[in-house]
Amino acid sequence: MAGTLIARKLKFRRHFAARLSICGDGILDIARGEQCDGSIGCSPGEVCTGCVCVANQGTTTTTSYVPSSTTSSSSSSTTSSTSTTTTTTQAPTTTTTATAAPTTSTTTTQDPTTTTVTSTTTSEPSTTSTTSTTITTSTSTTTQAPTTTTTTSTTTMQPPTTSTTASTTTTSQAPTTTTTSTTTTTTLPGTCTGACPIHTVFLILMENHDWSSIRGSQSAPYINDILLPIASHAEQYYNPPGVHPSEPNYLWLEAGTNFGVRNDKPPARNHQSTASHLVNLLDAAGLSWRAYEEGISGIDCPLSNVGLYDVDHDPFVFFDDVTQKNNSQAPRCIEHVRPYSELQTDLINDTVARYNFITPHLCHDMHDACAPLSDPVLQGDTWLSTEVPNILTSPAYADNGALFILWDEAVTGDGPIGMIVLSPKAKGGGYQNTIPYTHSSTLRTIEEIFGVTPMLGDAANATDLSDLFVSFP
């Protein structure tokens, strides 16, 4: 009797459970062979299907066009299983699938080349968020625990143009910074681009002495004690080989040749018809020039010796295009060949020319012995001590001017003779060199300073005086 009651009780329980425990009712009934029911019983990465735990098959994306960017998302929560299959046959296209709240599915497709199939099964309210972006052509599966109320899946089928743009921007910034730095460095010297050029040239011609009779001479205290310690000078400067006396050396400084002249005859005998000489190049370039000759009146063109003025030391009056073939009233000659007495006023008023050729008279250029000193070197040194400071304190000299003091010819052979350079741009400080130079070097240097061509006569073959300068021209 008792056994019959127990058997009936067990049968009742199985019958009751059969009626109450149904797959999908949220109650896990292991006795009925259920491995899971809803979100109960399955491990992470599995979903409950027909009360049996199966691996989540995820999302499979197949792309037949490369390059493209494919993003696949699969979400697994307590009661929801979503799978999305996207097949794309052409890029660029964009497909966006958004799922929010149970049983709601939105699919937006642009261009007819993309097909999207979305299947969503939900048996109970749940919240799932999955965001996955994969740029690949293979299958990708991502599963996360339910934490967010929005599910967004975005598939973008476009070339990675954003990355390329970013790279270009980065590359173009570096050279910009470098260019700015370089520009700043280049403009450091001031208003000039790079080193400011020599602007004004003064050239003083002394007469007939070897350098050995000047260097260290007690008759030249100003040159030795004042000028040389602040100047640059050459120890091996010569008059052109075999060129004597004075006149052909002055012609050489103007034209790079003596034209075969080997005497001191006046322009009436030794005038030249050529236009190939320095001041014509300066005029053609719009550069002013002036000869300051001590001892002339300035009311006419000085074509012959007057007082202590020696026409042999004035090269400009030997050229027909300056004197109109020895016309004492030639306007060009009178305009440019001026009395030395005007130099002081022009220095004060800053109206000197760009090229200034200065000739002292015979008692001041070391040519003659004159009372009261009766010492040509001392006379010339004294004159320099009076006149040179006027140049060195002038605005024209301060504005990158250059003063050349040189001798026309040697007494013994061809030299050496003196060449002294003073300039804000000269090495100075007593600098000296032993580079061989001649008057051709001086002419070439002046042409280079003013940027005029062609190189005249032997200047084309000469070494310039740039070594005496810190920067040149």
Side-chain angles (χ1 to χ4, degrees):
M1 182 64 177
T4 301
L5 291 174
I6 292 172
R8 289 180 176 177
K9 187 176 182 181
L10 290 175
K11 183 178 180 181
F12 175 78
R13 287 179 180 175
R14 285 195 300 267
H15 176 75
F16 185 77
R19 294 178 58 87
L20 295 179
S21 298
I22 302 173
C23 181
D25 61 359
I27 299 174
L28 177 61
D29 191 348
I30 297 176
R32 290 178 55 84
E34 294 180 356
Q35 295 181 1
C36 60
D37 198 309
S39 61
I40 300 173
C42 291
S43 302
E46 297 179 329
V47 295
C48 186
T49 303
C51 293
V52 177
C53 293
V54 296
N56 191 341
Q57 297 303 312
T59 302
T60 301
T61 302
T62 302
T63 305
S64 59
Y65 185 92
V66 179
S68 64
S69 174
T70 306
T71 301
S72 301
S73 299
S74 175
S75 301
S76 175
S77 64
T78 304
T79 59
S80 175
S81 175
T82 303
S83 62
T84 303
T85 301
T86 303
T87 302
T88 305
T89 60
Q90 182 176 348
T93 58
T94 302
T95 303
T96 302
T97 303
T99 304
T103 66
T104 301
S105 175
T106 302
T107 301
T108 304
T109 304
Q110 297 179 353
D111 295 336
T113 58
T114 300
T115 303
T116 301
V117 179
T118 301
S119 174
T120 302
T121 303
T122 305
S123 60
E124 187 175 313
S126 63
T127 58
T128 304
S129 174
T130 302
T131 302
S132 175
T133 302
T134 306
I135 302 174
T136 183
T137 58
S138 62
T139 302
S140 174
T141 304
T142 304
T143 305
Q144 294 182 354
T147 56
T148 311
T149 58
T150 303
T151 299
T152 303
S153 176
T154 303
T155 302
T156 303
M157 309 290 287
Q158 293 182 353
T161 56
T162 302
S163 299
T164 302
T165 302
S167 176
T168 301
T169 302
T170 302
T171 302
S172 62
Q173 288 176 351
T176 301
T177 303
T178 302
T179 301
T180 301
S181 175
T182 302
T183 302
T184 302
T185 302
T186 303
T187 57
L188 284 177
T191 57
C192 303
T193 301
C196 299
I198 296 169
H199 188 265
T200 304
V201 171
F202 301 91
L203 191 149
I204 299 176
L205 257 293
M206 307 301 284
E207 278 282 318
N208 298 6
H209 280 83
D210 300 335
W211 182 234
S212 60
S213 68
I214 305 297
R215 178 80 185 271
S217 172
Q218 293 182 351
S219 294
Y222 180 69
I223 292 174
N224 286 288
D225 300 339
I226 304 300
L227 293 185
L228 291 184
I230 64 173
S232 302
H233 76 272
E235 286 285 310
Q236 298 293 318
Y237 188 100
Y238 299 85
N239 59 249
V243 176
H244 297 283
S246 293
E247 184 178 304
N249 283 287
Y250 283 82
L251 293 175
W252 202 288
L253 284 164
E254 173 64 13
T257 179
N258 63 333
F259 303 103
V261 173
R262 293 187 178 275
N263 57 56
D264 285 337
K265 301 296 183 180
R269 290 283 302 273
N270 288 338
H271 65 96
Q272 304 298 319
S273 61
T274 181
S276 296
H277 58 106
L278 178 61
V279 296
N280 281 347
L281 298 182
L282 296 178
D283 278 340
L287 300 169
S288 58
W289 64 275
R290 196 168 295 133
Y292 290 99
E293 301 290 328
E294 191 174 26
I296 69 171
S297 66
I299 62 175
D300 59 8
C301 181
L303 297 172
S304 59
N305 296 340
V306 178
L308 295 175
Y309 165 77
D310 191 338
V311 72
D312 306 343
H313 303 165
D314 182 356
F316 310 100
V317 298
F318 286 84
F319 293 92
D320 291 345
D321 52 19
V322 174
T323 67
Q324 293 180 339
K325 296 184 179 179
N326 295 315
N327 177 5
S328 64
Q329 297 302 310
R332 189 182 185 198
C333 177
I334 296 172
E335 177 187 356
H336 291 280
V337 181
R338 303 305 305 160
Y340 175 76
S341 58
E342 294 179 359
L343 176 60
Q344 180 62 20
T345 300
D346 291 344
L347 288 171
I348 293 172
N349 295 334
D350 198 18
T351 55
V352 294
R354 295 289 300 279
Y355 177 54
N356 303 277
F357 190 99
I358 300 169
T359 307
H361 65 51
L362 293 173
C363 286
H364 292 157
D365 64 3
M366 300 187 182
H367 190 281
D368 291 356
C370 302
L373 298 176
S374 299
D375 180 343
V377 174
L378 181 57
Q379 291 162 202
D381 186 79
T382 301
W383 184 86
L384 289 172
S385 71
T386 301
E387 304 304 316
V388 167
N390 295 330
I391 296 174
L392 300 186
T393 57
S394 69
Y397 177 83
D399 184 19
N400 292 308
L403 169 61
F404 300 84
I405 303 172
L406 66 155
W407 280 254
D408 71 328
E409 61 172 330
V411 175
T412 305
D414 296 326
I417 56 179
M419 164 57 80
I420 303 169
V421 177
L422 298 109
S423 172
K425 299 180 72 62
K427 290 179 179 177
Y431 176 79
Q432 64 185 50
N433 68 27
T434 56
I435 299 172
Y437 299 119
T438 69
H439 292 329
S440 297
S441 301
T442 300
L443 178 58
R444 182 184 186 94
T445 298
I446 293 169
E447 287 198 61
E448 289 176 343
I449 287 172
F450 293 118
V452 295
T453 55
M455 290 294 160
L456 297 165
D458 191 53
N461 307 312
T463 300
D464 63 27
L465 302 173
S466 60
D467 181 68
L468 300 175
F469 293 85
V470 174
S471 61
F472 181 87

